[in-house]
Amino acid sequence: QQPVQSPQAVILREGEDAVINCSSSKALYSVHWYRQKHGEAPVFLMILLKGGEQKGHEKISASFNEKKQQSSLYLTASQLSYSGTYFCGTETGNQFYFGTGTSLTVIP
Amino acid sequence: DTGVSQNPRHKITKRGQNVTFRCDPISEHNRLYWYRQTLGQGPEFLTYFQNEAQLEKSRLLSDRFSAERPKGSFSTLEIQRTEQGDSAMYLCASGAWSHNSPLHFGNGTRLTVT
C-alpha cells in the first residue's frame, strides 16, 4: 500500500531542476508532500486535493493526476536548502502512508 | 501553537525492558499518528487516534506495542519486552479534524535497544 517514488536518489547542482514522482496502486483522493532533513522531523510542503490540481510553494510546485494515481513534485532552480529526503503521503481509510522516499542532494 | 512535543528525545534500554514514550500534539488537533522510522527508510505507520479513539493499528505492530490517548490529549506509546529490532526513531504527528489538513511532526524519540 506504500506509494512508490522515483527516482530513489538524485544529485543536482545549484540552479538545476528536478522532478520527483509518486505512484500509488490504490486510488488517491489527496496527496501530501513532505521534506525531511537529516536528523530532523518531516516538514509539510503542500497538499493536493483534486485531480490535475497544481500547487506551488516558492519554487517548488506539484501536480496530481487522480486518474493515473500519480503525483509529481517539481523543484526549479534548486537551492542548497532543498537538500533532504522528499516523501509523498496518502491516506487510505484511517492509515496515512508515506512513500518510499527520494533523497535529493544539491551541490554548489 | 508550540508544536508537537515528544519525550524523551533519546532512550537507551536493555533488551527485555519496557519503555514508554509520550507525545503532546498541537492542542486543537484531534488526529494523532505514531510512526516508526529506521535509517534510510520512510516513516512506517503504526497507529492512528481520532480524539481518544484508536481507530487503526498496523498489522505490523506486535502485541508488545500498545498506545493510548486518554481524554484525547497527549498520547503514549509503550513497548514491552524490547528487542534489538525495535531500535528506531519513533515519530508522532498530529493534524486538525480535516483529513485534508497537513500533519505536524514532533522531533521524535530515538530508541536504542542494547
Side-chain angles (χ1 to χ4, degrees):
Chain A
Q1 292 185 333
Q2 183 181 32
V4 177
Q5 292 182 228
S6 62
Q8 284 187 322
V10 59
I11 299 175
L12 299 174
R13 291 199 177 277
E14 230 178 331
E16 292 182 337
D17 303 340
V19 180
I20 299 172
N21 300 302
C22 172
S23 182
S24 174
S25 59
K26 290 185 174 287
L28 296 177
Y29 302 101
S30 67
V31 177
H32 296 220
W33 284 96
Y34 293 79
R35 176 172 60 208
Q36 185 176 30
K37 292 184 179 287
H38 184 68
E40 300 179 8
V43 173
F44 173 78
L45 293 176
M46 67 187 71
I47 181 171
L48 300 104
L49 302 177
K50 291 285 188 180
E53 182 179 359
Q54 199 152 353
K55 298 194 77 173
H57 175 74
E58 298 178 343
K59 293 181 180 178
I60 302 175
S61 62
S63 64
F64 176 26
N65 189 319
E66 189 178 344
K67 288 182 180 179
K68 291 185 178 180
Q69 298 171 185
Q70 294 176 343
S71 178
S72 294
L73 187 71
Y74 306 94
L75 299 99
T76 58
S78 58
Q79 306 169 13
L80 295 175
S81 61
Y82 286 3
S83 292
T85 302
Y86 289 78
F87 295 100
C88 62
T90 65
E91 191 152 19
T92 302
N94 288 316
Q95 300 192 34
F96 191 95
Y97 289 101
F98 285 89
T100 50
T102 297
S103 174
L104 182 82
T105 304
V106 181
I107 58 176
Chain B
D1 180 358
T2 56
V4 179
S5 176
Q6 289 188 247
N7 287 288
R9 289 295 307 275
H10 302 274
K11 178 69 177 178
I12 300 174
T13 191
K14 292 186 176 181
R15 189 177 53 187
Q17 298 294 306
N18 299 343
V19 293
T20 301
F21 311 141
R22 176 177 171 127
C23 170
D24 287 272
I26 293 172
S27 57
E28 62 268 24
H29 284 179
N30 64 349
R31 294 187 296 144
L32 189 146
Y33 300 82
W34 282 98
Y35 290 90
R36 177 172 61 193
Q37 187 174 30
T38 53
L39 195 63
Q41 302 298 315
E44 176 187 25
F45 172 83
L46 294 179
T47 191
Y48 165 64
F49 288 88
Q50 184 169 303
N51 298 313
E52 67 276 8
Q54 186 175 21
L55 297 186
E56 193 72 40
K57 187 174 175 181
S58 170
R59 288 170 295 175
L60 300 176
L61 216 59
S62 77
D63 292 342
R64 298 184 297 105
F65 286 72
S66 63
E68 294 182 341
R69 192 183 181 195
K71 302 179 182 178
S73 55
F74 70 92
S75 177
T76 57
L77 178 68
E78 181 183 16
I79 308 174
Q80 296 182 326
R81 306 181 302 281
T82 53
E83 302 173 356
Q84 287 189 323
D86 296 333
S87 295
M89 175 72 82
Y90 289 84
L91 293 166
C92 173
S94 71
W97 69 272
S98 168
H99 285 250
N100 292 328
S101 59
L103 296 184
H104 298 260
F105 282 83
N107 286 323
T109 294
R110 180 165 294 285
L111 174 66
T112 302
V113 182
T114 61

